Amino acid sequence: MTDMTTLYAAYAGTIQNALDALVADGTLPEGTSFANVTLEPPRDPSHGDLATNAAMVLAKPAKTNPRALAEAIAAKLEADPTIVSAEIAGPGFLNLRLDPSAWLGELETIIRLGDDYGRSTMGAGTTVNVEYVSANPTGPMHMGHCRGAVVGDALSSLLELAGHNVTREYYINDAGGQVDTLARSAHLRYREALGEDIGEIPEGYYPGDYLKPIGEYLAQELGDKHLDTPEEEWLPYFRAEAVEKMMDLIKSDLALLGIHHDVFASEAALHAAGKPDEAEKWLREHGLVYDGVLEAPKGKAPPEDWEPVELPLFRSTQFGDDQDRPIKKSDGKWTYFGADLAYHMQKAADADELIDIWGADHAGTVKRIKAAVAALSQGQGNPIPFDVKLVQMVQLMRGGEPVKMSKRSGNFITIADMVEEVGKDVVRFTMLTRKPEAQMEFDFAKVVEASKDNPVWYVQYAHARIQSTIRKAADEEGVTPSLDALGQLGQEELALIRRAAQFPREVEAAAKAREPHRIAFYLYDLATDLNSFYSLGNTEPEKRFILKHDKGLTAARLFLASAIGQVLRNGLRVLGVEAVDRM
């Protein structure tokens, strides 16, 4: 079995052994928890290679002051021949300086592990259901769906790298009034395909030309069978066909971004299977649903037609919501929340954790669905971690000017349009250059600029530059990457290795926080460090990767470059972006 231990993991183990030894000799009490002990790069690189807060967080249970405990920990750590010194800083932080051989060894680890460098067992095989996109099946994917789609997909890949089993899920909202409108819009296009002049598309219908192929398909399949029949005869069939064709289009659009879901869950199928009824029964049995009357809307006079009606209410206030929520309407139909509650109950049956990626316009419903999952956890006696990630809309720009789009008029920028113009990689990486909850602009001109200000170009350029250097060295000097002379690498090269060695801990930290954009930030920093080293060669020829007079050092620097390239590839794979060899 391949040894997956990386440098940070190895020294975390060294610190663990030192603390265990202090427990054994009585310096630390039995049963002391080390859960809050961290190992990370020091904020100031001049302070050392690694820093730990062990003495700071363990001094209280040890009933001693942090500096005294730090001295005891340092004495244990300095027994390791690869730890040159363990220096106490401030009130009790420990800064460790490593022998360069430790960092050079990490280069070998990167090359040895290859695509598995950064892979973690942190998730311990737990199953996480990530639901994302879940757009209404009423039109093609457009910019409004893009950011959440990319965030959800990158998060799924990140969690898999961190050791989780991940289910990528799409919830098809095919049970509401919008799919009846879709069916009527498709019927209109069906009549058009049969030669009828339909004139202006009526208000409230979906006007986009994307429905014309569906109308033509239905005309070929049915002829004029439903040209003049009553709506109740053709609506169910047209609804089912239109939803199916729309989902084919949506899947095709998502595939252009490299996005493929494992599960497509249908709201209509949920209702047909009686899942909301099962959920209500279960919740009533556990005292979480009761029949009650909602208060009149607060802060304004109630509508003239408002009257108190007894409804089945979910006790969401017990779980932090502002008010109890109805799961059915006065006409007996399920509220959206009632169906959503049943859907989350269904998802939880096959997962250890749930994550929803929602547009920021759904922020108002977060409390109630979190309350529902909390109630489910309480009732089953098994807490189900649940997180909702809100994603802000993206403002499309072109040369600094806003691009207008409107789904109502059928005039909008689709994902297919974006990918065709700038490419999948540009779209995906750019969507991850800011936190999802932050506002974002996507300028079609800026995202294809060849400059440091364009992160996707800059990171891909760094990888292409490495591959170009390796090819050039082989073609012109007959030199290939080798570890034989790694000892000749200097401080600038060691600084690059330190950055590369952070990748496994960045993966774990990003996975814990459920924040894939951290990987994009890290890759930009790594690319910056690499390109800065390249720039040194412009003023200091001895710092160039290829040295005609020193093939040993050239081979060592190529080995370093190869390892940096591997880390860039592994990080880009999380983001779903290709690591290009030429630009």
Side-chain angles (χ1 to χ4, degrees):
M1 183 176 177
T2 303
D3 180 9
M4 301 286 283
T5 306
T6 57
L7 185 140
Y8 275 88
Y11 283 100
T14 300
I15 292 171
Q16 174 79 40
N17 292 338
L19 298 177
D20 287 341
L22 292 177
V23 171
D25 68 18
T27 303
L28 288 171
E30 289 282 349
T32 299
S33 171
F34 304 145
N36 293 324
V37 173
T38 61
L39 179 68
E40 57 192 13
R43 291 181 180 177
D44 184 343
S46 68
H47 292 168
D49 295 312
L50 305 174
T52 180
N53 64 349
M56 296 293 294
V57 299
L58 299 178
K60 188 172 182 179
K63 296 181 179 178
T64 185
N65 72 71
R67 287 189 68 89
L69 182 55
E71 289 174 3
I73 296 171
K76 299 290 185 185
L77 293 176
E78 287 176 341
D80 185 323
T82 64
I83 297 179
V84 175
S85 67
E87 302 164 4
I88 303 169
F93 290 101
L94 270 173
N95 291 325
L96 311 182
R97 296 185 188 275
L98 306 183
D99 187 88
S101 63
W103 295 111
L104 299 178
E106 188 69 356
L107 269 190
E108 297 180 49
T109 298
I110 293 171
I111 297 299
R112 176 172 53 81
L113 292 180
D115 290 351
D116 283 329
Y117 186 72
R119 189 169 297 283
S120 170
T121 59
M122 182 186 76
T126 56
T127 298
V128 183
N129 180 298
V130 184
E131 183 215 325
Y132 57 107
V133 188
S134 298
N136 289 338
T138 54
M141 295 282 92
H142 60 71
M143 193 59 206
H145 308 118
C146 185
R147 194 178 186 187
V150 172
V151 169
D153 202 56
L155 175 58
S156 298
S157 296
L158 173 64
L159 293 174
E160 286 174 333
L161 190 61
H164 294 278
N165 291 319
V166 177
T167 300
R168 292 164 160 87
E169 186 153 337
Y170 185 120
Y171 184 43
I172 307 170
N173 300 118
D174 55 355
Q178 75 276 0
V179 288
D180 287 341
T181 301
L182 175 69
R184 294 184 185 104
S185 303
H187 188 264
L188 197 65
R189 295 299 188 177
Y190 159 75
R191 286 160 46 197
E192 182 181 40
L194 290 172
E196 183 178 331
D197 181 4
I198 60 172
E200 289 290 320
I201 304 297
E203 182 72 23
Y205 280 54
Y206 294 108
D209 287 346
Y210 59 85
L211 286 173
K212 285 186 176 182
I214 296 177
E216 291 165 3
Y217 165 79
L218 290 167
Q220 290 173 0
E221 289 291 307
L222 301 171
D224 61 1
K225 178 181 177 181
H226 286 302
L227 188 59
D228 298 311
T229 54
E231 180 180 290
E232 60 268 19
E233 291 186 20
W234 55 257
L235 186 68
Y237 177 79
F238 273 65
R239 181 172 55 219
E241 288 294 320
V243 167
E244 181 181 346
K245 293 296 182 290
M246 279 293 99
M247 287 309 302
D248 288 343
L249 177 60
I250 286 169
K251 290 175 186 179
S252 175
D253 286 345
L254 291 173
L256 295 174
L257 281 175
I259 294 174
H260 305 276
H261 289 81
D262 302 310
V263 175
F264 287 87
S266 160
E267 183 185 359
L270 186 87
H271 286 284
K275 295 297 182 181
D277 293 296
E278 289 179 18
E280 181 183 10
K281 181 174 181 292
W282 187 91
L283 290 165
R284 283 188 183 277
E285 288 172 351
H286 289 81
L288 296 169
V289 163
Y290 67 98
D291 294 318
V293 178
L294 284 177
E295 296 179 13
K298 295 179 180 178
K300 57 183 179 180
E304 290 183 10
D305 60 350
W306 182 87
E307 58 183 47
V309 178
E310 187 173 75
L311 299 170
L313 303 177
F314 167 62
R315 297 185 187 276
S316 52
T317 50
Q318 288 187 11
F319 304 94
D321 198 3
D322 303 324
Q323 64 180 76
D324 291 343
R325 303 289 177 175
I327 60 172
K328 282 184 178 178
K329 303 174 187 177
S330 57
D331 61 3
K333 293 181 180 178
W334 295 98
T335 61
Y336 185 83
F337 170 67
D340 216 24
L341 188 153
Y343 171 55
H344 282 77
M345 200 169 180
Q346 175 177 282
K347 286 197 293 185
D350 298 314
D352 302 304
E353 179 179 352
L354 305 179
I355 299 174
D356 288 357
I357 311 294
W358 289 358
D361 55 330
H362 289 85
T365 61
V366 171
K367 273 189 179 182
R368 69 192 69 171
I369 201 61
K370 281 194 169 185
V373 176
L376 177 63
S377 298
Q378 184 188 80
Q380 293 183 342
N382 179 32
I384 300 170
F386 175 50
D387 195 10
V388 177
K389 292 292 183 185
L390 295 176
V391 179
Q392 286 287 348
M393 290 286 287
V394 177
Q395 174 66 60
L396 284 181
M397 310 288 285
R398 192 178 294 278
E401 294 296 321
V403 176
K404 295 181 180 179
M405 68 177 195
S406 168
K407 195 166 185 180
R408 178 179 296 276
S409 67
N411 173 30
F412 49 85
I413 304 289
T414 66
I415 284 177
D417 295 332
M418 295 180 66
V419 173
E420 182 179 1
E421 181 167 347
V422 302
K424 168 183 77 73
D425 292 341
V426 169
V427 174
R428 288 192 65 123
F429 199 107
T430 304
M431 291 298 131
L432 295 163
T433 53
R434 300 202 70 187
K435 296 178 180 180
E437 64 272 21
Q439 298 286 339
M440 169 180 278
E441 290 184 355
F442 184 100
D443 192 306
F444 283 95
K446 290 183 178 180
V447 297
V448 293
E449 285 180 356
S451 80
K452 186 179 180 180
D453 295 330
N454 180 8
V456 59
W457 179 87
Y458 197 61
V459 172
Q460 286 188 316
Y461 170 66
H463 185 268
R465 200 173 193 182
I466 288 169
Q467 300 310 108
S468 174
T469 301
I470 292 173
R471 288 194 302 270
K472 182 178 179 181
D475 294 344
E476 298 181 6
E477 306 298 329
V479 181
T480 57
S482 170
L483 51 76
D484 293 341
L486 289 184
Q488 291 183 244
L489 297 181
Q491 287 303 312
E492 290 92 349
E493 291 98 324
L494 288 175
L496 256 179
I497 301 170
R498 290 187 190 97
R499 178 76 75 182
Q502 291 182 37
F503 181 62
R505 62 182 295 275
E506 290 286 347
V507 168
E508 291 196 348
K512 282 180 183 175
R514 307 319 193 216
E515 294 182 343
H517 63 271
R518 293 191 184 194
I519 301 301
F521 294 178
Y522 165 78
L523 292 176
Y524 184 80
D525 290 341
L526 179 60
T528 299
D529 289 353
L530 175 74
N531 289 322
S532 295
F533 183 78
Y534 266 102
S535 296
L536 281 177
N538 294 331
T539 54
E540 302 176 56
E542 290 299 312
K543 296 292 171 63
R544 291 173 182 167
F545 275 92
I546 300 175
L547 301 172
K548 293 182 180 293
H549 62 280
D550 193 336
K551 292 193 174 183
L553 181 53
T554 296
R557 283 182 177 158
L558 292 176
F559 192 87
L560 165 64
S562 182
I564 301 298
Q566 183 67 64
V567 175
L568 288 171
R569 286 193 297 279
N570 292 1
L572 287 170
R573 191 178 302 113
V574 171
L575 308 185
V577 174
E578 181 185 357
V580 297
D581 291 346
R582 288 178 169 84
M583 291 186 77

